[in-house]
Amino acid sequence: MAPALYHYFPVPMDDHSEKVVLRNRKMLKWLWILPVLALVLSLLVALIVFAIKANSKACKDGLLAEQKCLNKTRLLELQLTQAQESLVVAEAQAYLCNQTVGTLKSSLEMEKDESQKQRELAQKLQGENGNLKQELENMMAELEQLRKEHASDEKNGSTSSRNARSFLVVAVLLSLSFGALLA
């Protein structure tokens, strides 16, 4: 075996330790840069994946469906608001109708009472009319009797003043009877 010749160059200790410290510092810099670089690369990849998915057909269809849903929701809210307003108007009209019906019912009751009074008055007047007719018939019979008496008095030669008074009484009674019938 051949003798190995080892020759070491003398290295001053101060230089060597400074070089090691400098090399360690450079490595620490790279060690901090690597995680930051890895984080930036992972965010960049995530952003690219998100951009691809966001521009995909399914995502665009979902956004379109969401927009249609929002439009329909707004339309339904508008229709609901209009229906509520119509309901308020209808309730106000129903309240007025109920008041009108109440007023008409009370007016109808008053008219029924008035009609009943009119019927009672008509019955009373019919009764009086019947009485007056009876009186008229009695007076007509009396008149007929007076005529017969007058005719017999003329035959007997009575005074005409008695006849005049009889006719005057009959005329007054007849005019009173007709006036009562017309009332």
Side-chain angles (χ1 to χ4, degrees):
M1 223 181 118
L5 193 57
Y6 294 103
H7 179 29
Y8 293 103
F9 294 105
V11 179
M13 285 293 199
D14 291 337
D15 278 343
H16 179 61
S17 65
E18 283 183 25
K19 285 182 182 179
V20 170
V21 170
L22 283 175
R23 195 174 5 151
N24 286 341
R25 282 187 188 168
K26 285 182 182 179
M27 277 207 169
L28 283 176
K29 281 184 186 178
W30 282 106
L31 286 176
W32 283 105
I33 291 175
L34 285 175
V36 172
L37 186 62
L39 180 65
V40 169
L41 283 175
S42 63
L43 288 175
L44 185 62
V45 168
L47 181 63
I48 290 171
V49 169
F50 176 74
I52 290 171
K53 285 188 178 183
N55 289 325
S56 70
K57 185 179 179 192
C59 187
K60 288 181 182 179
D61 290 344
L63 287 173
L64 183 62
E66 182 181 359
Q67 189 64 34
K68 285 181 181 178
C69 183
L70 286 174
N71 289 341
K72 286 183 181 181
T73 302
R74 287 185 190 125
L75 178 65
L76 288 174
E77 287 174 348
L78 178 65
Q79 289 175 348
L80 177 64
T81 303
Q82 290 173 348
Q84 288 172 339
E85 290 171 355
S86 298
L87 178 65
V88 168
V89 169
E91 286 175 345
Q93 288 176 346
Y95 178 74
L96 289 175
C97 287
N98 288 339
Q99 282 185 332
T100 304
V101 166
T103 305
L104 289 175
K105 280 183 179 179
S106 64
S107 297
L108 181 62
E109 288 297 321
M110 289 173 47
E111 287 295 323
K112 283 181 180 178
D113 292 342
E114 188 66 30
S115 175
Q116 182 65 29
K117 288 178 184 176
Q118 292 290 331
R119 276 190 229 122
E120 290 172 358
L121 181 62
Q123 288 175 352
K124 181 180 175 185
L125 289 176
Q126 283 178 352
E128 288 180 12
N129 190 15
N131 291 340
L132 290 174
K133 280 183 182 179
Q134 185 63 38
E135 285 180 26
L136 181 61
E137 287 175 5
N138 290 342
M139 286 186 190
M140 292 297 279
E142 207 176 301
L143 178 63
E144 191 61 37
Q145 183 182 2
L146 287 174
R147 280 184 188 165
K148 285 180 185 177
E149 285 179 9
H150 176 60
S152 67
D153 281 344
E154 279 185 6
K155 288 181 184 177
N156 294 338
S158 293
T159 60
S160 65
S161 66
R162 187 173 175 196
N163 287 338
R165 272 187 285 161
S166 299
F167 283 119
L168 183 62
V169 168
V170 169
V172 168
L173 289 176
L174 281 176
S175 65
L176 289 176
S177 297
F178 284 123
L181 281 176
L182 292 176

